[in-house]
Amino acid sequence: MAELQRLERWLQAVIVHPGSAGDAVRARSATCHLNVSEAHRALLPSKTMKPLERLAVYQGMYPLRMHDALAADYPGLAVFLGHAHFLDFVLAYVRVFPSRSYTFARLGDHVPEFLRKTRRFSPAPFLRDLARLERAINEVFEIDEDGAENSPSPPRHVAADWASRLFAVTPTLRLLAFRHAAGSALDALKAGKRPKTRPRATWAALHRRRYAVYRLDLTREEFHLLGALAKGQPLGAALRAAARACRKPLSPRAVTRAFRIFTAEGLLREG
């Protein structure tokens, strides 16, 4: 059993090595399990392939599997970069953030961070915003919380003590601010169109309902008001916080519109 475990660890080290099969067999990550002479004895040829050629089949498939896993989590990013450039992106990414799990489910967790640190892929700020949106969509979809799928009770009519009124938000709510129009860019990419990449500040709310993730594009005022309510601030304080963030008071019309949207989308619950 010990010999089998040593062989399995060696095989994993070789398959995930970014170089050739020959380099992988000689790499320190592999030789700490089997030295080169032991590796050559463990590998057998087939009728048509040499030992290293057989090994290279599995090693060559590994980047493609990572490509498919990241493309599933970041379809917009994959379409924007195109197949060849996205494969370059995957290889560059996994050199910095290699897979540490038996599953690829968490492989893409650090894509926004990677795009923040590298300028190899352009336009980098736009790509990072696009990746942040797609990462957040995945996170919202994966939320496992009791009651997350229950329809919230809509807020009752705001009484005279409106300033002290507290609201709760749906537990799947995520608020995001972007330097670029990430939401409309993702929509364009899904429709087969080329998105605009020039900076334009946008705001969005993500939430899950009936096991589907929805994006709600917000104004700056709606973003800050909903953010303050989500932090547990009473309505009066939330309105003042939004006014400070926007450097102007919210008009009654804007507040009415915001609450109509929040209620219709099921974002607010009774506090």
Side-chain angles (χ1 to χ4, degrees), residues 94-150:
V94 297
R95 278 195 290 269
V96 180
F97 296 103
S99 176
R100 302 294 188 189
S101 172
Y102 68 92
T103 173
F104 283 147
R106 304 258 65 88
L107 179 64
D109 285 0
H110 302 286
V111 166
E113 179 184 354
F114 175 74
L115 287 169
R116 179 174 59 83
K117 295 179 177 179
T118 184
R119 290 295 181 269
R120 178 175 171 181
F121 304 93
S122 61
F126 166 78
L127 292 177
R128 179 172 177 262
D129 272 352
L130 181 61
R132 286 178 57 225
L133 175 58
E134 294 195 292
R135 177 69 196 129
I137 290 172
N138 293 330
E139 289 176 347
V140 171
F141 183 78
E142 294 167 358
I143 290 173
D144 182 13
E145 188 169 348
D146 292 338
E149 292 299 335
N150 295 333

